[in-house]
Amino acid sequence: MSIRLSTGGRLIDRTQTLSFTFNGVRYQGYQGDTLASALLANGQTLLGRSFKYHRPRGVVTSGAEEPNALMNLGTGARFEPNQRATTTRLFAGLEARSQNHWPSLKYDVGALNSALSPLFSAGFYYKTFIHPRPFWKHIFEPVIRQSAGLGAAPTQGDPDTYEHYYATVDVLVVGGGVAGLAAAREAVAAGARVLVLEQGEAWGGRALVDGGDIDGHAPDLWAAQTVAELAQEGAQMRLRTMAAGVYDHGYVLAYERIADHTPGDGRPRHRLWRIRAGQVVTATGAIERPLSFAGNDTPGVMLASAVRDYLSLYGVACGERTVVVTNNDDGYRTALALVEAGCEVPAVLDARPDHDSDLVQQARAAGLRLLFDTGVKKVEGGAHIQRVIAAPMSGNGPSETIACDCLAMSGGWSPVVHLWSHCGGKLLWDDARAMFKPDLTRPPLGAQGQGFVVPGGAASGALLAHEALEDGANAGRDAVRALGLSPASTPLAQVNAQTDETPLRPVWIMPNGADYALRSKAFLDFQNDVKVSDVQLAAQEGFESVEHTKRYTTLGMATDQGKLSNINGLAILADALGKPIPQVGTTTFRPPYTPISMGAIAGEARDELFKPTRKTPMDAWHDDNGAQWEPVSDWRRPYTYTRSGESMDQAVTREILNTRQNVGLLDASTLGKILVKGPDAGAFLDLIYTNMMSTLRPGRCRYGLMCTENGFLFDDGVVVRLNEDTYLCHTTSGGSDRVHAWMEEWLQTEWWDMKVYVANVTEQYARVAVVGPQARTVLERLGGMDVSREALPFMAFSDGTLGNIPARVHRISFSGELSYEIAIPASQGLAFWQACLRAGEDLGIQPYGTEALHVMRAEKGFIMIGDETDGTVIPQDLGLSWAISKKKDDFIGKRAMERSHLASPDRQQLVGLLTENPKTVLPDGAHAVEGGKLPGDAPRPIGFVTSTYFSPTLGRSIAMALVERGSRRMGETLAFNTAKDVWVRAKIVDPVFFDKEGARQNV
Amino acid sequence: MLLLTCPYCGVSAEETEFHPGGEAHLTREGPGTKNDAFEAYLFYRKNPRGVHFERWRHVYGCGKWFHVARCTQTLEVFGSYSAQVSEPPEEILTKIKDRRPDWSDAP
C-alpha cells in the first residue's frame, strides 16, 4: 500500500491542501504534487487497464515516459483524454478518470482478453480477421471499433485559446537539470543570447533526488540560485516547456503548458514556441529501463528511480515492503533512500555476481539483505503485487518467495537522444554501459555544414551528477565556440555525491532461459501490451528489420512512443536474430518528443482567422440585401439574393429572367486584373497567350487563352490594350494570383531579357457588370460619357466618368446580353453600385449572383475554367481552335500540341446536350457509356457532363459535356448513367443554346 | 525548415517565406524540337542524393526567383545566386568543391 509519509517531499507544500476527484471519489493532495503522486499518496495504485489485454496497470514512472497512468481529465468542453498523471500538475478541483475499462476500473469485462492472450499474439489482426469475409463487416469491425482506442474523444469545441511565439536565440538549452544549467552558465558567460527550457515543474532534474549537495547547497537551492543568476544575466528561463522537435538548420518547436493547472483563467492554455537557434544543447537526461520478467506490469512494480522520486520529491512511499531488483548500482540508491525514510526493504536482488562498490558497501552497512546473481522469476498478485519469486539468474536452482507490496526495478539507463536524432544525428552503441548515445562525430548539420546540436550530461551518457555537470558545461562551451564566441572560464560547481560504481550487467530477460510461460507475461511495451514472446515470434516469422518488427508487433507505437520499451525490445530482437545490438539499430526518432495539443499547433489560426475571407467593396451591401454566400477561391460572392418567402432556385430564376428582360447588376470585382507594361509587353503576351495579343489595337478588347507547357488550358479572360506599351489582362476570379506568379516566373527565369513589368492590380478596382436590354439607359442616366453603339462598339472600352466617378467601361458580355463591365476605383465601388441601382430603379434593375451568371453563360455555350477544364483539356477540345494562333513561332503550350495524343481526332470534345425529357436536369459529372450490348463488348465511358442547369430563358434543361469525337456526333442520342440502372437519354447539339448570332449583345 | 538567403534583397529567412520551384538550369524545348528532348524537359528530373541546384522564389519577400545550390542529404547550403544564368557560377562551384572534393557536375 502506497502512503504519504509524515515528513519529506522537496516539491510539495504541506500547508496547501488541494482537493481533487478520481473516478468521482474526492481525495486530497498538496500544492506541488503531480496527479500521480497525489493518487499514490492516497493509496491508489490501480490507475487503468491496458490497451489489448485490459490488464490492471499502475504508475511505473515519475515523468514524461509514463506508459500506464493515462487519464481522462476535465469535463465538458475541457475534457481531454490520454493525459499522463505523472506530468499533470495537481490543482484544486481537478477531475480525473481512468481509461479503457467497462463497467468499472476494478471489474472489467475486457480483462477476458488476458485469458485469451495466446490468441492475441504478434500480428493477430493480420492473421485472425481474414475469413470468413462477411464476418469482417458484421462482427470483427464493430467489435474492434468498440474496444479500440484508449481515452474517449471530446464532444465539444475547445473553449481555450492558444498562441504561437517566435524566438531567435544563439543557444537553446533543452533541459533544466544540472547539465543544462551548467551549459547555460557557459553560454551566458560568453555573451550569447540563451533560452533554457525545462519540461517539468522544477529546475534541477535528477539532481533534486540524486545530487547530494552542490557547492555546499541542497540541489534545489543551488538550482534556484543558478536560475536566478542566469535570469539576471538575461537568459530566458521557461518551466513546463517541452522541446518537441529539432528540425532543419536549428529550427526547434517547443510546447509550453501555461494554464493546464489554472483552467479558464483567461490565459492561453498552451503556447507553441517556434525557435531558431544557432546551437542547441540537448541536456535532456536519461530514462531508466524496466527489466523484463513475468508479471513486470503488475501494479506496484515500478522503476527504481520513480520509487526514489516519489519518496524524495513528494514524501510518498510507494509501498511498505519494497523489494529492489537491479542490474546496476543505481538500484541501491533506491534501497538506501527507502531505508533512510524508515521503509522496509526485505531484499535487494542484484543480477550481478557479488561485488563491493561504494553503494554496495553502504547497503551492507545499512544492514540490507543483498542477493547476488539473483533476479525476479515472477511477480504474483492480481490488481496489486503481493510477492516476488526470486531465483538465480542462471534460471536453475532454488527460488525464494518474498512477500512485498512494491518492487523497484532498474535495468540501467538510456540517454534521451530523441532531439539529437530528429534531424539526422547518429548514435553509437556503448557496450560497457549498454546504451545508445550520440555519436559526436556525426551531428545534424546546419546551413553551413556545421553541427548545430551538442548533447550534454546524461543525454550524452554522463549519468552521474558530477559527470553530468561537467559534461553539460563542456557542451555549453562547445556551443559557444561553434558560434564563434570565446568561452569564459567559469568555475565548475562541485557535487559531493561522487561514487565508484561497478559496471552494469546487461539483462534483457530475467532469469536467463525463462520458459515461454514466463516470457509471454514479461512485458516490453506496457501501453501496447507487447511482450518478450511477441518480439521473439516476429523474429521467428522473419521480421528482421527493427522497423518492420515495430510495426508488426506495435512495439513502441503507443502514445509514449516506446520511451521505456524500445531498447529492451530491440535487444530481444537482436538476441533472437543472433546479431549484435548496434547492427539491429534503433527505430527512427520522430517529433514530437511527447504529445502536444492540436490547439497549440493551430494557435490563433482558427474560426475566421484560419483563412481570412477576401471581400469586395460591395460586400456589406450584399450581406444586407439577402445574399446567399458562396466561396469562390478565397473570396465570398453572392450565389443569389433571396427575397422574403423565396427559395434559392426561385431567386436564381427571377434574376436570370429579369436580366434577360430588363437589366441586372453583377459585382464582378473578384475578376483578376494583371497589368503588363513595357516595350516588350506585346511580345511577352504573345508567348503567354495562345492567340496574338501584339496586334490588338489600343482601346480594344480580346478574349485570350493561357496554356501550360503541357498544352492544357489553365486560365482565360479578356485582354485590353490600354496604350502602346500597356495591357490589362483579366483572369478568372480564382486565378489572379496564379497567373501573376506564372507571368513573373517566365519573365524572371526564361525571358529575362524582355523589358516588361507585371503587377497584380486585382484589388485596386471594383467592377460592376450592368447587363440587359436596359443597360445602356442606366449608364446614360448616370451620364458623363458616350456609351452609344457607335462610340463604344462591342469589344471596345473607353475611359471617362460615370456619375462623376472615374470609370473604365468595357463592352464585353459573358451573358449574351447588351453588357457593360465597368471598372471603378475600389474606394468608390459601393457608391457606383448604389448609383446604378438608383438610376435603374424604374427599369426594374436587380442584382444577380454567381448562379445566374453561370446559367446565362451556359445558355450561350461559354466555357468556365474548372467546369469545362480539369487540367487535361486543351483549347481544341472546347472548340476554341480559333483562339490558337497559327502565325506565331512559339507560345507556351505550342510544342506540346504537336504531340500525337493532343492532335488526335479521337479526343473528347465539347458538345451541348438536350435531354429527351426537357424537365430532367442531368447530374453534374454523369457519364455517357457506349458498348456492352454484345457479348465480349465491355461498356466503357465515352464522356461526361461538365455543366448542367435548368434554363429559365429556354424553359428546359441544358447541359454541356465532353464526349469522344463529340463534334462529329451532332444529332446522336447518348445514354447517361445517373444512378444504379437509371439512364437519361440526351441528344448531342451545338453548345450554344441561345442567340447564336449574338444579336442581343450587338445592339 | 531550411534557412535560405535571397541573393536579391539579401534577406536570410525561413523556408516558409520562399516557394520551391524544382530543378534549376533546365533548357526549354520549344516548337519543332525532338520528342525525346521535349519529354525530358517536361518530365525528367535528376533528384540527386547530394549536391542539387534548385529554383526558389522569395514569394513573401521581394518576389524574385533565384537559384540555390544545396545538399539534399545533409541539408548544407552552398550558396544562392541569380536565376538569370544558364549554369551555376564559378564561385558557387568552387564553394561546392571545397566541401565536396569528389563531387562532379557531369550529367
Side-chain angles (χ1 to χ4, degrees):
Chain A
M1 181 76 169
S2 56
I3 51 161
R4 179 93 66 185
L5 300 176
S6 57
T7 57
R10 223 185 261 288
L11 296 182
I12 55 166
D13 176 356
R14 290 181 190 251
T15 65
Q16 291 195 59
T17 307
L18 304 174
S19 175
F20 68 101
T21 65
F22 174 62
N23 286 343
V25 180
R26 190 159 293 280
Y27 296 98
Q28 309 283 329
Y30 290 127
Q31 181 75 37
D33 262 326
T34 63
L35 177 57
S37 68
L39 286 167
L40 287 170
N42 284 281
Q44 276 293 328
T45 51
L46 175 58
L47 296 185
R49 293 267 174 178
S50 71
F51 179 59
K52 197 154 117 183
Y53 303 130
H54 288 240
R55 285 170 68 93
R57 290 286 164 79
V59 65
V60 185
T61 75
S62 55
E65 67 273 31
E66 176 60 32
N68 286 347
L70 301 184
M71 298 286 154
N72 289 326
L73 292 186
T75 53
R78 288 205 167 81
F79 172 85
E80 195 172 31
N82 294 344
Q83 297 304 297
R84 290 172 304 284
T86 50
T87 57
T88 299
R89 176 168 164 183
L90 193 70
F91 59 89
L94 181 149
E95 294 176 63
R97 293 191 168 271
S98 53
Q99 301 185 157
N100 211 37
H101 50 70
W102 184 85
S104 74
L105 178 57
K106 226 170 166 181
Y107 305 101
D108 174 43
V109 170
L112 274 174
N113 285 4
S114 196
L116 301 174
S117 66
L119 299 178
F120 297 139
S121 60
F124 84 102
Y125 278 95
Y126 314 119
K127 293 167 180 164
T128 310
F129 301 126
I130 299 172
H131 300 290
R133 299 289 292 186
F135 270 48
W136 180 245
K137 185 167 179 192
H138 300 291
I139 296 177
F140 299 146
E141 187 184 328
V143 170
I144 290 170
R145 281 192 188 281
Q146 173 63 34
S147 57
L150 285 165
T155 55
Q156 299 177 30
D158 188 336
D160 286 309
T161 59
Y162 301 83
E163 67 182 23
H164 287 186
Y165 184 79
Y166 293 80
T168 303
V169 297
D170 297 324
V171 179
L172 169 67
V173 178
V174 182
V178 291
L181 294 178
R185 278 177 60 164
E186 295 296 331
V188 165
R193 287 171 302 166
V194 177
L195 169 63
V196 187
L197 306 178
E198 164 56 42
Q199 63 179 350
E201 300 281 344
W203 301 102
R206 280 225 63 77
L208 294 179
V209 179
D210 296 336
D213 285 348
I214 308 176
D215 277 353
H217 299 294
D220 50 344
L221 285 179
W222 178 84
Q225 245 171 41
T226 307
V227 167
E229 282 166 23
L230 286 168
Q232 181 78 29
E233 299 288 326
Q236 284 178 281
M237 311 294 292
R238 281 288 188 283
L239 286 174
R240 286 196 297 282
T241 307
M242 183 267 306
V246 171
Y247 305 84
D248 309 348
H249 297 176
Y251 187 66
V252 179
L253 284 183
Y255 174 64
E256 182 176 8
R257 296 187 294 154
I258 302 168
D260 271 349
H261 59 291
T262 55
D265 73 346
R267 292 184 298 168
R269 180 162 170 249
H270 300 146
R271 178 180 290 143
L272 190 74
W273 286 66
R274 307 176 66 165
I275 304 161
R276 201 44 102 158
Q279 289 283 305
V280 181
V281 175
T282 55
T284 44
I287 291 176
E288 196 172 19
R289 293 191 292 256
L291 288 163
S292 302
F293 49 80
N296 62 347
D297 66 325
T298 311
V301 181
M302 300 172 64
L303 294 179
S305 59
V307 171
R308 202 154 79 231
D309 287 348
Y310 286 114
L311 194 64
S312 169
L313 301 176
Y314 308 103
V316 170
C318 294
E320 291 167 54
R321 277 173 64 84
T322 302
V323 173
V324 174
V325 56
T326 185
N327 67 347
N328 67 91
D329 271 15
D330 199 49
Y332 286 86
R333 290 197 175 86
T334 300
L336 289 165
L338 286 166
V339 170
E340 197 184 328
C343 301
E344 197 180 339
V345 179
V348 176
L349 315 180
D350 191 333
R352 298 168 296 179
D354 196 350
H355 61 106
D356 217 19
S357 67
D358 290 351
L359 285 162
V360 171
Q361 286 178 24
Q362 289 176 34
R364 286 203 168 103
L368 281 166
R369 182 173 174 231
L370 310 181
L371 300 175
F372 291 98
D373 211 0
T374 303
V376 172
K377 184 180 177 187
K378 196 175 175 183
V379 165
E380 290 184 348
H384 197 81
I385 182 172
Q386 291 175 2
R387 63 196 79 84
V388 163
I389 315 293
M393 275 304 290
S394 62
N396 307 313
S399 59
E400 178 185 340
T401 302
I402 307 170
C404 63
D405 62 354
C406 180
L407 174 60
M409 58 181 167
S410 178
W413 291 76
S414 297
V416 174
V417 295
H418 299 62
L419 296 178
W420 167 265
S421 304
H422 280 166
C423 199
K426 298 292 185 287
L427 300 177
L428 272 179
W429 176 252
D430 180 335
D431 218 26
R433 300 199 189 192
M435 60 165 77
F436 278 106
K437 61 183 192 183
D439 178 351
L440 300 180
T441 64
R442 292 187 296 165
L445 299 183
Q448 309 307 317
Q450 81 286 17
F452 71 87
V453 179
V454 189
S460 189
L463 294 179
L464 300 176
H466 66 283
E467 294 174 355
L469 202 138
E470 189 177 350
D471 194 70
N474 287 335
R477 280 195 283 271
D478 287 347
V480 160
R481 273 188 218 103
L483 291 168
L485 299 171
S486 304
S489 57
T490 48
L492 202 61
Q494 294 302 309
V495 180
N496 76 340
Q498 301 190 19
T499 47
D500 284 329
E501 301 205 349
T502 306
L504 96 171
R505 172 184 179 184
V507 172
W508 308 116
I509 177 76
M510 190 177 254
N512 293 328
D515 63 19
Y516 180 80
L518 294 176
R519 283 182 280 125
S520 65
K521 292 290 181 221
F523 284 79
L524 292 167
D525 185 324
F526 296 96
Q527 200 175 114
N528 265 356
D529 275 345
V530 182
K531 301 155 300 180
V532 169
S533 56
D534 292 324
V535 173
Q536 289 170 333
L537 179 65
Q540 193 183 321
E541 291 181 355
F543 288 86
E544 293 183 6
S545 148
V546 63
E547 296 281 6
H548 292 163
T549 301
K550 163 183 163 172
R551 284 154 182 83
Y552 189 55
T553 61
T554 72
L555 176 83
M557 288 171 68
T559 64
D560 61 342
Q561 291 282 291
K563 291 188 178 61
L564 294 187
S565 61
N566 276 349
I567 303 297
N568 286 349
L570 76 90
I572 295 286
L573 179 66
D575 177 62
L577 297 172
K579 288 182 181 172
I581 287 173
Q583 211 175 312
V584 173
T586 65
T587 52
T588 308
F589 295 91
R590 291 196 177 85
Y593 175 62
T594 56
I596 66 177
S597 65
M598 298 301 284
I601 295 169
E604 299 281 8
R606 54 194 281 186
D607 302 326
E608 68 270 19
L609 293 181
F610 178 67
K611 187 168 193 192
T613 304
R614 290 175 87 175
K615 295 176 179 179
T616 75
M618 293 81 105
D619 184 90
W621 187 93
H622 304 320
D623 213 30
D624 290 342
N625 286 274
Q628 304 295 323
W629 294 106
E630 173 187 41
V632 178
S633 68
D634 297 343
W635 300 92
R636 66 171 189 177
R637 297 188 71 181
Y639 176 90
T640 185
Y641 302 78
T642 51
R643 295 177 170 179
S644 114
E646 201 177 42
S647 73
M648 301 243 286
D649 281 350
Q650 288 167 336
V652 170
T653 300
R654 169 180 52 74
E655 288 169 7
I656 293 167
L657 293 176
N658 185 67
T659 303
R660 293 255 186 247
Q661 286 158 16
N662 301 310
V663 58
L665 208 55
L666 177 79
D667 179 359
S669 304
T670 61
L671 196 73
K673 306 160 200 85
I674 316 284
L675 196 70
V676 179
K677 187 173 176 63
D680 295 323
F684 173 62
L685 291 181
D686 280 348
L687 289 163
I688 292 289
Y689 285 91
T690 62
N691 39 355
M692 194 80 92
M693 290 300 170
S694 53
T695 57
L696 185 63
R697 281 181 289 119
R700 299 291 297 180
C701 311
R702 184 172 288 168
Y703 176 68
L705 304 174
M706 277 178 256
C707 288
T708 63
E709 276 287 60
N710 243 317
F712 300 133
L713 181 58
F714 87 98
D715 210 279
D716 68 347
V718 170
V719 177
V720 308
R721 189 166 193 171
L722 301 178
N723 54 47
E724 192 51 37
D725 73 348
T726 314
Y727 293 77
L728 187 65
C729 302
H730 294 107
T731 73
T732 58
S733 289
S736 61
D737 291 347
R738 190 165 54 232
V739 170
H740 179 227
W742 177 250
M743 290 181 176
E744 281 287 357
E745 182 177 350
W746 286 100
L747 272 177
Q748 291 186 35
T749 68
E750 188 66 31
W751 298 310
W752 61 73
D753 51 338
M754 283 190 159
K755 293 189 175 73
V756 181
Y757 284 111
V758 298
N760 188 344
V761 296
T762 299
E763 294 193 357
Q764 309 303 309
Y765 297 96
R767 190 154 171 126
V768 176
V770 183
V771 181
Q774 302 290 349
R776 185 172 287 135
T777 312
V778 173
L779 299 196
E780 281 168 354
R781 287 183 182 177
L782 290 173
M785 56 192 286
D786 188 352
V787 293
S788 66
R789 179 181 186 171
E790 296 68 32
L792 193 56
F794 187 57
M795 294 307 271
F797 77 90
S798 179
D799 287 325
T801 61
L802 282 172
N804 294 320
I805 295 173
R808 175 173 295 141
V809 185
H810 308 82
R811 270 292 305 275
I812 52 182
S813 179
F814 199 39
S815 57
E817 295 300 321
L818 170 64
S819 164
Y820 296 86
E821 293 194 14
I822 302 126
I824 51 264
S827 59
Q828 299 187 64
L830 180 59
F832 184 78
W833 177 266
Q834 287 171 322
C836 290
L837 286 169
R838 276 192 302 274
E841 196 173 358
D842 62 313
L843 303 171
I845 198 165
Q846 289 178 17
Y848 66 92
T850 52
E851 184 64 1
L853 163 90
H854 281 128
V855 176
M856 287 192 283
R857 68 90 197 171
E859 289 170 345
K860 283 291 293 177
F862 294 141
I863 63 139
M864 194 74 155
I865 297 292
D867 284 338
E868 277 66 42
T869 68
D870 61 4
T872 67
V873 172
I874 59 175
Q876 293 89 332
D877 299 340
L878 303 177
L880 296 171
S881 300
W882 59 266
I884 298 172
S885 168
K886 295 190 178 50
K887 294 185 200 142
K888 294 195 292 187
D889 292 337
D890 193 6
F891 58 82
I892 299 170
K894 183 176 171 75
R895 171 62 185 84
M897 290 172 189
E898 295 170 2
R899 289 180 296 180
S900 58
H901 178 66
L902 268 62
S904 165
D906 296 336
R907 291 182 63 83
Q908 294 185 340
Q909 291 159 340
L910 187 71
V911 296
L913 293 175
L914 291 176
T915 51
E916 286 188 345
N917 179 348
K919 296 265 180 278
T920 305
V921 179
L922 280 162
D924 233 326
H927 280 262
V929 176
E930 202 173 58
K933 298 195 174 73
L934 299 169
D937 178 20
R940 63 187 189 92
I942 56 162
F944 59 97
V945 174
T946 57
S947 289
T948 172
Y949 303 98
F950 187 84
S951 160
T953 311
L954 303 168
R956 62 152 302 136
S957 68
I958 57 169
M960 289 195 269
L962 281 163
V963 175
E964 258 181 35
R965 297 184 302 280
S967 62
R968 282 174 283 150
R969 289 178 187 258
M970 288 298 145
E972 208 175 296
T973 296
L974 299 180
F976 286 82
N977 190 207
T978 59
K980 190 172 164 59
D981 297 328
V982 180
W983 298 84
V984 173
R985 290 168 61 78
K987 191 167 80 171
I988 295 186
V989 297
D990 187 283
V992 184
F993 297 96
F994 180 62
D995 185 27
K996 186 158 187 181
E997 309 71 41
R1000 298 176 68 86
Q1001 69 193 18
N1002 283 324
V1003 291
Chain B
M1 188 156 43
L2 302 175
L3 276 178
L4 298 174
T5 302
C6 170
Y8 287 95
C9 61
V11 164
S12 290
E14 305 276 345
E15 188 178 333
T16 46
E17 195 168 315
F18 302 92
H19 187 79
E23 185 177 319
H25 307 306
L26 297 178
T27 303
R28 180 166 184 262
E29 300 291 338
T33 52
K34 290 209 161 32
N35 276 336
D36 289 352
F38 185 62
E39 181 188 21
Y41 158 59
L42 274 191
F43 303 116
Y44 291 176
R45 298 296 180 264
K46 289 183 184 139
N47 193 24
R49 181 180 168 90
V51 176
H52 193 32
F53 301 94
E54 292 173 338
R55 305 184 326 139
W56 288 82
R57 187 182 182 209
H58 195 186
V59 64
Y60 297 114
C62 67
K64 287 290 189 184
W65 281 93
F66 59 96
H67 289 165
V68 173
R70 68 180 190 98
C71 177
T72 59
Q73 191 177 1
T74 65
L75 307 183
E76 287 172 78
V77 177
F78 303 110
S80 49
Y81 54 98
S82 166
Q84 303 185 347
V85 292
S86 49
E87 56 188 32
E90 201 50 49
E91 166 205 4
I92 293 287
L93 294 175
T94 306
K95 280 185 187 168
I96 296 170
K97 282 170 187 161
D98 281 351
R99 289 200 234 155
R100 299 281 188 283
D102 299 338
W103 174 77
S104 144
D105 61 348

